[in-house]
Amino acid sequence: MRSSAASDVYKRQLQTLSQREFEMMQCFWEADEPLKMKELQTRWAHGETPQSRSTTLIYVNRLVEMKYLYKTVEQKRQVLYHPIVTKEDYYKHELREFQKRWNLNGIMRVI
């Protein structure tokens, strides 16, 4: 589990996700455990044909660069991807961005 100090550091650096990046992060949040590439491809497909490895890898690498995920390598070169950002923290980020965009900071304090 992250400390609150570590949590505060990444909160300031969060970037807003694209729709596809958000859908991928939902896979991690719903799984509540690290995922292997094959598992992620299947979960991200939402019951349809699994996403290609190359497409999945592009989005995974982007999320790693954005510090939403980190990866570890197990024995036999098996890579696991772990979420860093929680669903709750991302939703808080989105709410703050919405408030800034629509200049609602004063109104939200009253409500």
Side-chain angles (χ1 to χ4, degrees), residues 42-82:
T42 303
R43 286 177 181 266
W44 198 31
H46 300 291
E48 300 170 10
T49 305
Q51 297 293 319
S52 72
R53 182 173 176 80
S54 61
T55 299
T56 304
L57 199 53
I58 288 169
Y59 281 93
V60 163
N61 286 335
R62 191 179 303 163
L63 289 168
V64 169
E65 287 175 18
M66 293 169 69
K67 303 211 182 330
Y68 276 81
L69 301 175
Y70 72 95
K71 65 180 178 178
T72 58
V73 180
E74 292 186 329
Q75 294 177 352
K76 300 181 184 177
R77 297 175 35 188
Q78 187 65 257
V79 178
L80 285 175
Y81 295 95
H82 308 256

Side-chain angles (χ1 to χ4, degrees), residues 76-108:
K76 300 181 184 177
R77 297 175 35 188
Q78 187 65 257
V79 178
L80 285 175
Y81 295 95
H82 308 256
I84 298 172
V85 178
T86 65
K87 181 178 178 178
E88 292 77 18
D89 286 338
Y90 183 71
Y91 285 169
K92 287 176 189 175
H93 162 76
E94 281 288 307
L95 180 58
R96 282 191 301 273
E97 290 301 309
F98 179 80
Q99 289 172 335
K100 279 192 252 178
R101 189 174 312 122
W102 292 96
N103 197 22
L104 298 175
N105 289 329
I107 294 171
M108 293 308 281

